[in-house]
């Protein structure tokens, strides 16, 4: 929520059309993430106090599947009923309840692309849980597990379209106008070094 409020405040203060477009793009991304977070809370409920998110995992993919490998110590010694994983077309929710009653979870929503729920599954191995997500579109390439890769690509493409046709001087000038005091100081130092270098090249052709 803090990022969302800050982005809205910056949008209200933006002076150039390029700044407004970039901030509007970023605001749309943050608002979407906020809606997703609220949706996830409604669908699954908030984790209880003392629960822990399984934030670290490895993954790979083939033409048909995306596989996740989540390390959970001693998970193979837990009763089968302590481990659940539900799948939706654009989400997965893994829950592991330890012998101490505390829960570890991995909630990913939205995923990078749709999955075939019926073809997706999980398996418990020694100190590890393997998830197998069946791609809805075989052969599609996932850049990340969630949709952050797609959003990052869209933002980069929007920036490229916005900057097209602008000179280096214009871009640097706009960067300076949007920078904080520390960044402005660094830009000024870079410009000064560039000016000295150019003058030196003219003096010694």
């Amino acid at each position: 929520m803090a990022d969302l409020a800050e982005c809205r405040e910056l949008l209200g203060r933006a002076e150039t059309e390029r700044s407004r477009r970039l901030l509007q793009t970023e605001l749309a991304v943050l608002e979407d993430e906020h809606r997703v977070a609220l949706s996830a809370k409604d669908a699954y409920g908030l984790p209880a106090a003392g629960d822990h998110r399984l934030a670290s995992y490895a993954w790979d993919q083939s033409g048909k599947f995306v596989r996740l490998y989540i390390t959970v110590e001693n998970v193979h010694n837990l009763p089968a009923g302590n481990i659940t994983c539900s799948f939706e077309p654009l989400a997965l929710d893994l829950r592991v309840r330890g012998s101490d009653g505390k829960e570890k979870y991995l909630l990913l929503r939205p995923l990078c692309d749709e999955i075939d729920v019926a073809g997706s599954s999980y398996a418990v191995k020694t100190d590890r849980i393997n998830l197998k997500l069946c791609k809805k579109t075989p052969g599609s390439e996932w850049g990340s597990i969630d949709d952050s890769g797609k959003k990052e690509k869209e933002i980069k493409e929007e920036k490229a379209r916005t900057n097209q046709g602008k000179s280096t001087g214009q871009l640097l000038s706009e960067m300076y106008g949007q920078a904080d005091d520390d960044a402005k100081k660094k830009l000024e130092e870079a410009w000064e070094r560039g000016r000295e270098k150019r003058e030196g090249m003219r003096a010694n052709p």
Side-chain angles (χ1 to χ4, degrees):
M1 283 298 292
D3 289 344
L4 196 57
E6 183 179 6
C7 191
R8 285 172 177 158
E9 182 182 352
L10 290 172
L11 181 58
R13 299 205 313 257
E15 297 180 357
T16 67
E17 182 62 26
R18 173 176 176 271
S19 298
R20 282 191 290 272
R21 282 199 294 265
L22 290 174
L23 287 167
Q24 284 169 349
T25 300
E26 181 65 16
L27 181 61
V29 170
L30 291 172
E31 286 177 337
D32 184 55
E33 289 176 349
H34 182 57
R35 284 193 296 271
V36 168
L38 290 177
S39 175
K41 290 175 185 177
D42 291 340
Y44 300 104
L46 287 169
D51 289 356
H52 300 283
R53 182 172 183 269
L54 296 165
S56 179
Y57 53 83
W59 70 283
D60 61 25
Q61 64 180 309
S62 62
K64 189 174 181 181
F65 295 102
V66 174
R67 292 178 172 84
L68 283 77
Y69 310 97
I70 304 106
T71 299
V72 184
E73 189 175 355
N74 293 322
V75 68
H76 56 287
N77 292 323
L78 294 174
N82 285 34
I83 304 154
T84 63
C85 188
S86 59
F87 300 99
E88 295 182 13
L90 281 170
L92 69 85
D93 183 27
L94 172 67
R95 305 276 166 158
V96 180
R97 184 163 296 281
S99 55
D100 57 0
K102 293 182 179 180
E103 187 172 84
K104 296 179 180 180
Y105 68 97
L106 176 63
L107 173 62
L108 295 174
R109 179 189 187 103
L111 296 171
C112 178
D113 206 348
E114 284 195 52
I115 61 173
D116 177 356
V117 173
S120 300
S121 61
Y122 71 96
V124 178
K125 304 294 184 180
T126 302
D127 293 329
R128 192 177 75 232
I129 301 174
N130 295 349
L131 306 185
K132 186 168 73 172
L133 311 181
C134 182
K135 295 180 179 179
K136 183 80 170 183
T137 306
S140 62
E141 190 73 16
W142 287 31
S144 58
I145 292 297
D146 58 20
D147 69 343
S148 59
K150 281 186 176 181
K151 289 178 178 176
E152 184 178 353
K153 181 180 178 182
E154 290 170 359
I155 291 173
K156 287 181 178 179
E157 289 174 347
E158 175 61 24
K159 287 182 178 179
R161 286 193 296 269
T162 303
N163 294 335
Q164 192 172 9
K166 291 186 177 181
S167 67
T168 302
Q170 286 175 311
L171 294 174
L172 288 174
S173 179
E174 290 181 0
M175 284 174 60
Y176 185 83
Q178 299 164 21
D180 57 26
D181 291 341
D182 186 55
K184 283 181 178 179
K185 183 178 179 181
K186 290 179 181 178
L187 283 170
E188 289 168 357
E189 292 173 351
W191 285 338
E192 182 63 23
R193 287 195 299 270
R195 184 185 64 78
E196 292 174 353
K197 184 177 180 180
R198 290 191 297 273
E199 290 179 351
M201 292 175 65
R202 286 197 293 268
N204 300 284

